[in-house]
Amino acid sequence: MVDQSIAGAGTMATASDGDRSGRARIVILLLCLGLAVAVLLSLTSGASDASAVSVVGDWLLGAAPGNEALSARDRLIVYDIRLPRATLGVLIGAALAVSGAVMQGLFRNPLADPGLIGVSAGSSLGAVAVIVLGATVLAPVTSMLGTLALPLAAFCGGLATTLVLYQVATRHGRTSVATMLLAGIALAALAMALTGILIFMADDRQLRDLTFWQLGSLAGATWQKIGSVGPVIVLALAAMPFLARGLNALALGEATAGHLGIPVQRLKYTAIIGVSAAVGASVAVSGGIGFVGIVVPHLLRLAIGPDNRYLLPASALLGACLLLLADAVARTIVAPAELPIGIVTAIAGAPFFLWILLRKRGVVDL
């Protein structure tokens, strides 16, 4: 009788897992369609006569003789201004959302965020240093690198923060997640303090640039910037799904994951380096865009469950969709001016974050 009950329970569990897996696949398929719609909306939103039909028609006709689906002016706007912006939005949205999902799996906490390990603050420090000191102390560097100086400085700032964090949190070949969290908070505070000193030194023009950059924007998207940070983000995103099995096992605890054959130390190292690369490269070209890494993974867990095999690719798709929609809102809500995209994501994400806290009030003491 007991054996029959165990067998029945196993069958029910298998059926439940199968149902959830099927639902996850459907959600991922819908998100793929949603991303296509979001890209099309991004390409057609703004002051231009280009419609969704004309853009699709131009894609289908290509270089065919007599292709007049788009005028020369609209083709310039769509392919040289909006398409780089949409491409950058997809990359950054996916990077932030997947990084958030990995951090939450690593810390086993749905409130974890890439900002917790200080990567965003370190990247901001590097970018602010170039903006404020680019004409004086860092003039040789900025003159040599040109427009790439800002994204490269931000990326190096995030990478340096990560390396210091890893050295502080690692002892005898083992990395403590708790120490990493506390050290990340301390390094972020230090980076913000140094950023504050640089802001104090800035002139009025630099302050305007700093304010707009820190609030986040995709306005400066170019194919050159995508070429500089795109490979880093793509490689990080390509590596993240290979962490899914380890993150699933880590949910049972580090000791259990080790007994299951998961190389826990290597998993931590790979996750931190991947998140640092993705977030550092994203912040380097877009500035500070918050709440995507918290909202997207948690929203998907409600829909498809916590299995990282499906959660990570779904997070990439939904993160890209949400950032493209936020960018479309930022471009049109105060047209012809443009609202920083970080404001849009904060307005949408902050109430959701509070809702998460209320749902977790048994864990988080309000």
Side-chain angles (χ1 to χ4, degrees), residues 40 43-44 48-62 66-80 82:
L40 196 57
L43 294 178
T44 55
S48 169
D49 296 329
S51 65
V53 174
S54 60
V55 170
V56 173
D58 190 73
W59 284 348
L60 295 176
L61 293 176
N67 178 11
E68 297 180 356
L70 287 176
S71 65
R73 170 180 170 272
D74 288 340
R75 188 174 286 110
L76 177 67
I77 292 173
V78 169
Y79 292 118
D80 291 346
R82 293 182 182 170

Side-chain angles (χ1 to χ4, degrees), residues 51-258:
S51 65
V53 174
S54 60
V55 170
V56 173
D58 190 73
W59 284 348
L60 295 176
L61 293 176
N67 178 11
E68 297 180 356
L70 287 176
S71 65
R73 170 180 170 272
D74 288 340
R75 188 174 286 110
L76 177 67
I77 292 173
V78 169
Y79 292 118
D80 291 346
I81 298 176
R82 293 182 182 170
L83 186 58
R85 185 169 183 147
T87 303
L88 193 63
V90 169
L91 290 174
I92 292 174
L96 295 177
V98 173
S99 297
V102 170
M103 283 289 96
Q104 291 167 17
L106 186 64
F107 288 101
R108 301 190 293 279
N109 189 325
L111 302 181
D113 179 77
L116 284 177
I117 59 174
V119 180
S120 299
S123 297
S124 295
L125 176 59
V128 170
V130 168
I131 293 174
V132 177
L133 304 176
T136 55
V137 178
L138 299 178
V141 177
T142 54
S143 61
M144 180 177 63
L145 297 177
T147 57
L148 293 178
L150 182 64
L152 286 177
F155 178 72
C156 290
L159 183 60
T161 304
T162 303
L163 294 176
V164 173
L165 174 66
Y166 189 77
Q167 290 299 319
V168 171
T170 302
R171 285 292 180 274
H172 306 296
R174 298 188 64 83
T175 303
S176 168
V177 173
T179 304
M180 186 184 298
L181 175 60
L182 295 174
I185 294 173
L187 288 173
L190 177 61
M192 290 174 64
L194 295 176
T195 301
I197 294 173
L198 291 172
I199 291 175
F200 179 78
M201 297 167 54
D203 57 30
D204 290 341
R205 181 188 61 80
Q206 292 169 343
L207 283 174
R208 286 194 295 271
D209 293 340
L210 288 172
T211 300
F212 195 79
W213 186 85
Q214 287 184 317
L215 292 175
S217 175
L218 299 177
T222 62
W223 291 118
Q224 185 181 22
K225 285 186 178 180
I226 293 173
S228 63
V229 301
V232 177
I233 296 176
V234 169
L235 286 174
L237 290 175
M240 298 283 192
F242 293 100
L243 305 177
R245 178 173 171 268
L247 292 174
N248 286 343
L250 199 61
L252 303 174
E254 291 188 20
T256 304

